[in-house]
Amino acid sequence: MLSFALLSTVLLVILHLSQPLPNGAPESVCFTLMPFHGGGIPPQNDVSPFDIQTTASTVGQGQTLLVEIEGLTSELKFGGFMLQARSVTPPYAVVGRFNPTSDGLVKLINCNGQDNTITHVSPSGKSRISVEWEAPQDYLGPVVFNATVAQDYAHFWVGIESEPVQVVPRGAAPPTGGISTTRRPFSSTRPVYEPAPVQSKILSTDTIYDGCGTTKSCFGFPDNCLSARQCQVITTVTARGERFYFELKSGHMNPAYVAVGLSTDNRMMDDSIIECIPQGGVVNVYASWTTARPYSAIRQPGNHLRLLNSSFSDGVIYCNVERDAKSTVMGKQFDLLNNEYYLLLCSGSNIRDNSIAFHDIMFRPTSRSARLTDPTNFEAASVLLYRLHGAFMLVAWIGTASAGILIARYFKQTWVGSQMCGKDQWFAWHRVLMVSTWTLTMAGFIIIFVQVQGWSQAQNPHAILGLVTTIICFLQPIGAFFRPHPGSSNRPYFNWGHWFGGNAAHILAIVAIFFAVKLPRAELPEWMDWILVAFVAFHVFMHFVFSIAGCASDRSSGQRITAFPMTDMTPSRSSMGSERKQDAPYSRLRKILLGFYLTIITLFTIALVVISVLAPIETAVSEITTKISN
């Protein structure tokens, strides 16, 4: 039963992670139409099997026409979508508005206008979407409907275009006819909204790197990217008399914003922030003030900031901002000429109505504070405690907990007559492994709270799952210490509680590890999910194998060898050891299988720990490849 529960729980997590965004596309991708899918998944570059059809090629101002998204065949399903109408000349503004639908499949969002873009409500499969579009009252000329359609999480097409629709004066040419039953030929050209290459979007020839460490201070992400001139997010600071010039550039996963903060420590709290946000195809600069508990960025008057230059192309944000050497924000004075500051570099995938949202793409503080008048190349603050937290939890719940639970379940009548420290071997090893799990879990829990200094603000269930796991883990040995005597009438209650608590903590811990892969701070590759799936499959498979071996032992001995502890009142360990003369049948086979199981589990644990400690692997490989090619 436990095996099925563990497998089904984790498979549900993987299924959830493989779906398109469950609540539709965020407004941060209004102008790129590029889904924010993990791991930098690129769009398909072949001809889209989905098409956009309209009821007419002409529509009057303020009048409506029907727009449909459908597949090449009726059997072809899609999960996610985003659709809007754009003018065909720069700045390619999003025009018109959509009407709500009665089927509840469409969500209206605002892309620099009211209800002018639609997206999906749920990622469930659908073969067609029909929606009414109302032409604008203040626009004349051609429009083209543009869409992104996601067949699933990893397969999506960006920039699918309809035939042009002409907006004319109301009454001049009312829309006629219906949606054509003859499908227009698919375009042989690629979508118009091509993403930048999968590699870093800030090229090594970029002039933003010129002068780093000599005439200006620089700080980039990922670590050690400045020397390779291959940063995914970068900020530079140049001091010229009473003026300081901040450059910000981000090409990482089509962010909604990039920002840099000035801080007297390396925590994002009570800090002055410069935000660069693309809106309506142009980049705007804002000043804000951060609070940490709960996280928020409060907009402030930006009199001390002046936007000198900016661009937004292919999802890459760039801005050059002049900042006064001395300014006062929220009553706190910032003197860049005389004081030292940490730089806080961050980027996120969403913005709120009047502020930026949580930095869910990346956040990095510098390892030290410095006077910004002295050019230097900053290094990022250490992530050692994050790595230790991950390593401790992986060893605890992939390694020791898995082995400890399995030994207690299947090996109570193995190593008969052999004791360690006065206890049956199965119990001694179970206790050693579970005490190790408890110790590593408590250490990992303390480490992460020391690092984060409070509750995580990430929009990810990892933290709450980890907290529940830690609480259950903490209580398990306390309950075991006060367990009733095996002959007591209260013993079954303890057996039930101890069994349920241990297995519930194990399942929650594994699910929490799956969600940890999605955390920006973890910087783990997406394919780590599949290593975890392989571990779960192996663990469940070995439970079946040991169950079959137990059934064979039952038949050979004529009595039940492998029993659930909550239903079988066994005698005390000491009496069992004195009554049994030899191991249960097939004990040697089970010992061999246990050795095999422990070997594979150890390899899984080592592999996952190495990946988590050396993460991000993809960045390291990219840097090595870049250096070799140069």
Side-chain angles (χ1 to χ4, degrees):
M1 184 173 67
L2 169 64
S3 302
F4 284 118
L6 181 59
L7 181 61
S8 60
T9 301
V10 174
L11 288 180
L12 283 174
V13 172
I14 293 298
L15 181 62
H16 169 74
L17 295 176
S18 66
Q19 295 291 325
L21 291 179
N23 296 318
E27 294 181 10
S28 59
V29 299
C30 279
F31 301 97
T32 64
L33 295 180
M34 182 69 180
F36 181 66
H37 288 182
I41 299 174
Q44 303 299 299
N45 58 12
D46 55 353
V47 176
S48 168
F50 302 99
D51 195 20
I52 305 172
Q53 296 280 349
T54 61
T55 53
S57 58
T58 303
V59 62
Q61 291 175 313
Q63 293 182 323
T64 62
L65 57 78
L66 193 65
V67 185
E68 287 190 349
I69 301 176
E70 58 183 341
L72 177 63
T73 65
S74 59
E75 293 79 19
L76 190 60
K77 306 288 186 181
F78 58 95
F81 63 90
M82 191 173 186
L83 174 69
Q84 58 188 205
R86 292 186 178 183
S87 62
V88 298
T89 56
Y92 307 108
V94 182
V95 297
R97 59 183 299 168
F98 291 93
N99 294 328
T101 60
S102 58
D103 55 18
L105 297 177
V106 169
K107 173 184 175 182
L108 305 179
I109 60 176
N110 304 325
C111 288
N112 203 28
Q114 185 70 30
D115 299 339
N116 57 7
T117 302
I118 60 170
T119 186
H120 57 281
V121 172
S122 78
S124 59
K126 50 191 78 72
S127 58
R128 174 181 293 182
I129 286 293
S130 298
V131 63
E132 283 188 344
W133 177 78
E134 181 180 324
Q137 297 279 6
D138 56 354
Y139 176 83
L140 291 173
V143 298
V144 171
F145 288 91
N146 293 261
T148 288
V149 179
Q151 192 167 8
D152 53 47
Y153 190 81
H155 300 88
F156 54 90
W157 289 261
V158 176
I160 303 171
E161 288 186 301
S162 71
E163 294 287 357
V165 173
Q166 193 75 21
V167 179
V168 298
R170 187 179 182 93
T176 59
I179 291 181
S180 173
T181 58
T182 303
R183 178 179 299 278
R184 67 181 176 86
F186 285 111
S187 171
S188 61
T189 61
R190 295 178 60 183
V192 294
Y193 300 104
E194 296 182 23
V198 177
Q199 299 83 9
S200 173
K201 296 179 181 176
I202 303 178
L203 303 178
S204 59
T205 56
D206 200 317
T207 57
I208 196 171
Y209 297 95
D210 296 344
C212 282
T214 56
T215 62
K216 61 184 180 182
S217 297
C218 297
F219 180 42
F221 171 84
D223 299 340
N224 306 314
C225 67
L226 292 175
S227 58
R229 299 170 68 97
Q230 287 286 339
C231 296
Q232 294 171 332
V233 184
I234 184 175
T235 184
T236 72
V237 186
T238 304
R240 294 175 185 169
E242 295 287 320
R243 295 286 183 267
F244 285 76
Y245 300 89
F246 288 77
E247 286 183 292
L248 281 163
K249 196 165 190 178
S250 171
H252 185 60
M253 296 183 67
N254 294 280
Y257 70 87
V258 60
V260 62
L262 297 178
S263 178
T264 54
D265 54 32
N266 62 355
R267 312 286 177 184
M268 185 163 279
M269 59 182 73
D270 298 335
D271 304 314
S272 177
I273 307 296
I274 300 173
E275 307 169 357
C276 290
I277 304 174
Q279 295 172 311
V282 299
V283 177
N284 295 317
V285 63
Y286 299 97
S288 64
W289 179 262
T290 60
T291 60
R293 299 291 181 266
Y295 172 81
S296 64
I298 305 170
R299 288 277 167 82
Q300 299 294 312
N303 300 332
H304 57 291
L305 302 179
R306 287 163 293 280
L307 180 62
L308 303 180
N309 189 19
S310 66
S311 65
F312 180 57
S313 177
D314 290 330
V316 177
I317 304 170
Y318 171 78
C319 64
N320 187 351
V321 181
E322 179 185 350
R323 176 171 181 143
D324 294 342
K326 295 182 180 181
S327 58
T328 300
V329 183
M330 291 291 288
K332 183 176 181 179
Q333 187 176 41
F334 288 84
D335 185 351
L336 278 60
L337 291 172
N338 301 305
N339 296 334
E340 296 184 350
Y341 293 96
Y342 290 87
L343 295 183
L344 310 177
L345 185 61
C346 68
S347 182
S349 62
N350 285 290
I351 58 175
R352 302 190 180 111
D353 291 339
N354 198 35
S355 67
I356 57 176
F358 183 75
H359 40 75
D360 57 351
I361 293 181
M362 61 80 57
F363 168 75
R364 274 290 190 276
T366 56
S367 60
R368 59 185 175 87
S369 61
R371 189 172 295 173
L372 299 180
T373 54
D374 303 327
T376 184
N377 282 342
F378 285 101
E379 294 181 354
S382 173
V383 292
L384 175 62
L385 294 183
Y386 286 113
R387 299 289 174 256
L388 287 177
H389 167 77
F392 285 177
M393 292 305 191
L394 286 169
V395 173
W397 295 103
I398 299 294
T400 58
S402 300
I405 291 173
L406 186 134
I407 287 174
R409 173 70 179 86
Y410 299 106
F411 287 85
K412 289 183 178 180
Q413 295 194 35
T414 309
W415 301 295
V416 172
S418 175
Q419 294 191 337
M420 184 171 67
C421 301
K423 303 295 183 182
D424 282 356
Q425 286 241 17
W426 77 265
F427 180 77
W429 282 113
H430 172 73
R431 184 165 60 181
V432 167
L433 290 167
M434 301 319 289
V435 167
S436 299
T437 300
W438 189 93
T439 304
L440 290 167
T441 300
M442 296 305 118
F445 183 78
I446 293 171
I447 283 173
I448 200 63
F449 261 81
V450 170
Q451 175 67 36
V452 178
Q453 293 189 349
W455 186 254
S456 171
Q457 300 298 309
Q459 297 176 348
N460 184 300
H462 173 79
I464 187 65
L465 289 171
L467 177 62
V468 174
T469 300
T470 303
I471 292 173
I472 298 175
C473 178
F474 181 80
L475 295 175
Q476 281 291 94
I478 298 175
F481 181 80
F482 292 103
R483 65 187 179 276
H485 187 273
S488 169
S489 60
N490 293 323
R491 183 67 177 220
Y493 298 109
F494 165 77
N495 289 336
W496 270 106
H498 194 67
W499 174 87
F500 179 79
N503 290 305
H506 191 219
I507 293 174
L508 288 173
I510 299 301
V511 175
I513 292 172
F514 271 98
F515 279 107
V517 177
K518 305 300 177 183
L519 288 171
R521 297 286 183 90
E523 299 174 36
L524 296 173
E526 291 286 329
W527 46 262
M528 185 171 171
D529 276 337
W530 298 110
I531 298 179
L532 292 170
V533 169
F535 155 75
V536 172
F538 174 75
H539 182 71
V540 170
F541 172 75
M542 291 305 295
H543 268 282
F544 282 121
V545 171
F546 282 115
S547 295
I548 293 171
C551 291
S553 296
D554 294 348
R555 293 192 183 96
S556 297
S557 64
Q559 60 180 347
R560 190 175 183 185
I561 300 298
T562 304
F564 284 106
M566 70 287 295
T567 58
D568 292 86
M569 294 302 298
T570 59
S572 65
R573 287 182 294 276
S574 59
S575 64
M576 284 195 299
S578 62
E579 291 174 3
R580 296 195 306 264
K581 302 302 181 182
Q582 60 183 8
D583 287 359
Y586 301 104
S587 288
R588 182 174 180 179
L589 174 61
R590 285 193 287 180
K591 291 175 184 177
I592 294 173
L593 290 173
L594 178 62
F596 171 71
Y597 174 83
L598 293 177
T599 300
I600 301 301
I601 287 297
T602 300
L603 292 177
F604 270 118
T605 304
I606 292 173
L608 290 168
V609 168
V610 168
I611 292 172
S612 67
V613 171
L614 300 182
I617 296 285
E618 295 170 323
T619 299
V621 172
S622 176
E623 290 179 1
I624 293 172
T625 304
T626 301
K627 291 179 180 178
I628 292 176
S629 63
N630 292 337

